[in-house]
Amino acid sequence: MQLLGGLSGEKFLSQIWQKKPLLVRKAIPGFKGVVQAPELFALSSRHDVESRLVSRRRGSWHLEQGPFSRTQIARLPRSGWTLLVHGLNLELPEADALLRRFRFLPYARFDDVMVSYAAAGGGVGPHFDSYDVFLLQGPGQRRWRVGRPREPRLDPKAPLRILSNFRPDKEWLLETGDMLYLPPGWAHDGVALEPSFTYSIGFRAPSHQEVAREFLAFLQDHVALAGTYADRGAKPQRRPAEVPKRMVQHAAVVARRIHWRTADVARFLGEYLSAPKPQTVFSRPRTPRSPARFAALCHARGMRLDLRTRMLFREREFFLNGEQVEPPGRLRRFLARLADERALPPGERLTQPLLGLLHDWYLAGWLRIGERHE
Ligand code: SIN
Ligand code: CO
């Protein structure tokens, strides 16, 4: 794979992934980026798109959260700032296509494509991330310095996580189309040498704490225990404010009755990993087609998942935007193909139960008519 500097997916996963940085020159030859500055400024002015502006003035760091007005953008100085826009893949088909070049990794690990547009001297400062990231250089040059994981010390005065004990081991100048892979925990600092774009293709890994917390929340809706505590055999209370021991013992017995199977954890995980980010809004079709018309149009033009849709599957279960579906066996092949490819060509005849599912997803704005994004 050119994207991985000639390494196969297997080699990359066994030798590099989560182990050490990898610099790939010309990972995407002729890469032009997927967004230009005016479009990026327009995205950063939207309330439903997460954006941040990081600047450094007279040695101190500043952070502003978007959205940004046209006047704010027009007032930016010539140097020393960077504008970050998250979730680019949820807005631009080209950014989604960029993300899906990494499909040798499971979609369950995909986070998003973020872009930074920096003026000369701009950057977010030395820091580390808890995610795996591929830093793909768009137009313009950026110098990256990288240091191995060590006990971090953070600058207490900075409004963002800046390492005060950054010690780089390596330095590279990235040109358009070059890419740097960094495992979690590796410190890095990118500085634009001229106005330049960097695309961060990020991979999430839920922390143990997050899995535990979210699974407990899932269990709340799935545990049903009958019965109520009863005082049978209780003696008169000597200290009325004291919680009776028998009540504690009873609660402990109830707590021990909370059971789950691996299948429950798997269902939780599918729902959790496919849930859209909180700010995601799906747009429903303006003039919804009837099921019959929808089927005819999909047959003629194909269909695709909306850019914001997260679709995963495991064994018999499918997970779409945080919801679990267990379709009849004969639909599974079709749905698994849709989940992998995210778009299907014209020519599919939709049988009744499948049409029922897909039409619902279409009405929710999760699925669209037409194989290609307009
Ligand atoms: C940047 O593009 O400047 C920041 C990306 C990162 O460090 O993860
Ligand atoms: Co970073």
Side-chain angles (χ1 to χ4, degrees):
M1 270 195 250
Q2 174 126 28
L3 185 68
L4 302 176
L7 292 180
S8 64
E10 282 90 32
K11 274 240 163 76
F12 176 79
L13 287 176
S14 64
Q15 296 175 2
I16 309 288
W17 180 245
Q18 306 220 291
K19 293 190 177 73
K20 55 184 181 190
L22 177 73
L23 172 72
V24 180
R25 295 285 179 202
K26 294 200 172 38
I28 304 187
F31 182 60
K32 299 215 164 37
V34 300
V35 69
Q36 307 305 322
E39 197 181 0
L40 196 65
F41 293 145
L43 283 170
S44 77
S45 74
R46 278 174 43 180
H47 287 267
D48 57 340
V49 173
E50 191 191 339
S51 58
R52 290 178 295 155
L53 184 68
V54 177
S55 50
R56 198 167 188 198
R57 293 194 294 274
R58 282 177 243 108
S60 54
W61 292 96
H62 298 266
L63 169 70
E64 283 172 82
Q65 302 287 346
F68 299 103
S69 68
R70 235 188 260 194
T71 329
Q72 278 172 297
I73 296 290
R75 282 203 197 121
L76 287 171
R78 289 176 71 86
S79 63
W81 55 266
T82 182
L83 174 68
L84 307 156
V85 174
H86 295 261
L88 207 60
N89 52 301
L90 307 177
E91 300 297 327
L92 306 177
E94 300 78 9
D96 179 67
L98 177 61
L99 179 60
R100 311 248 169 230
R101 281 176 180 254
F102 295 84
R103 51 182 283 162
F104 61 94
L105 295 161
Y107 290 169
R109 290 279 270 115
F110 282 28
D111 189 34
D112 76 339
V113 177
M114 180 192 84
V115 65
S116 68
Y117 176 57
V124 301
H127 67 284
F128 67 95
D129 301 306
S130 47
Y131 286 8
D132 298 88
V133 67
F134 292 91
L135 299 162
L136 172 65
Q137 187 56 35
Q141 295 182 322
R142 206 171 285 201
R143 189 200 64 211
W144 285 95
R145 293 183 304 155
V146 170
R148 54 185 62 254
R150 53 204 289 263
E151 200 53 54
R153 253 205 321 273
L154 296 180
D155 176 351
K157 289 204 283 303
L160 63 166
R161 286 156 46 88
I162 300 279
L163 284 170
S164 56
N165 62 341
F166 178 51
R167 255 208 337 249
D169 300 307
K170 285 222 158 65
E171 178 174 323
W172 291 292
L173 180 68
L174 266 71
E175 314 228 17
T176 314
D178 293 349
M179 188 172 76
L180 177 60
Y181 161 72
L182 293 177
W186 283 72
H188 50 288
D189 183 22
V191 178
L193 300 189
E194 54 187 346
S196 82
F197 294 82
T198 297
Y199 293 86
S200 295
I201 297 117
F203 291 80
R204 64 166 167 178
S207 67
H208 297 173
Q209 181 60 22
E210 187 182 342
V211 170
R213 186 187 61 227
E214 297 298 327
F215 181 57
L216 287 172
F218 169 91
L219 273 185
Q220 281 185 31
D221 298 333
H222 293 82
V223 164
L225 296 176
T228 308
Y229 168 76
D231 277 325
R232 264 189 306 275
K235 304 257 178 336
Q237 187 82 357
R238 213 162 46 86
R239 312 283 312 266
E242 192 179 14
V243 179
K245 195 170 167 196
R246 54 190 287 120
M247 282 189 97
V248 174
Q249 283 164 344
H250 173 264
V253 169
V254 172
R256 276 198 292 274
R257 268 197 229 143
I258 304 171
H259 291 299
W260 59 85
R261 293 168 304 146
T262 306
D264 299 313
V265 182
R267 171 166 175 190
F268 146 72
L269 196 65
E271 290 184 5
Y272 179 59
L273 294 176
S274 70
K277 297 204 174 172
Q279 68 273 23
T280 306
V281 185
F282 288 93
S283 43
R284 295 163 187 272
R286 245 175 284 157
T287 45
R289 315 285 188 176
S290 68
R293 185 79 191 119
F294 167 77
L297 285 169
C298 287
H299 185 263
R301 291 164 40 195
M303 70 187 77
R304 65 185 192 274
L305 295 177
D306 183 79
L307 286 176
R308 296 174 182 85
T309 287
R310 292 184 74 106
M311 183 175 186
L312 304 170
F313 65 86
R314 184 190 167 270
E315 296 182 354
R316 294 145 187 256
E317 292 178 296
F318 286 78
F319 306 98
L320 218 83
N321 298 328
E323 289 183 17
Q324 181 248 25
V325 207
E326 231 179 305
R330 59 187 189 288
L331 307 188
R332 279 187 227 137
R333 255 172 72 146
F334 178 95
L335 291 174
R337 199 151 63 90
L338 179 63
D340 283 336
E341 303 307 324
R342 298 188 55 85
L344 293 177
E348 295 291 347
R349 293 209 178 276
L350 305 180
T351 55
Q352 209 48 55
L354 184 59
L355 177 58
L357 259 187
L358 297 182
H359 190 255
D360 280 352
W361 295 348
Y362 157 75
L363 293 180
W366 295 359
L367 179 86
R368 308 211 163 262
I369 297 167
E371 188 185 0
R372 301 202 189 289
H373 298 279
E374 278 98 47

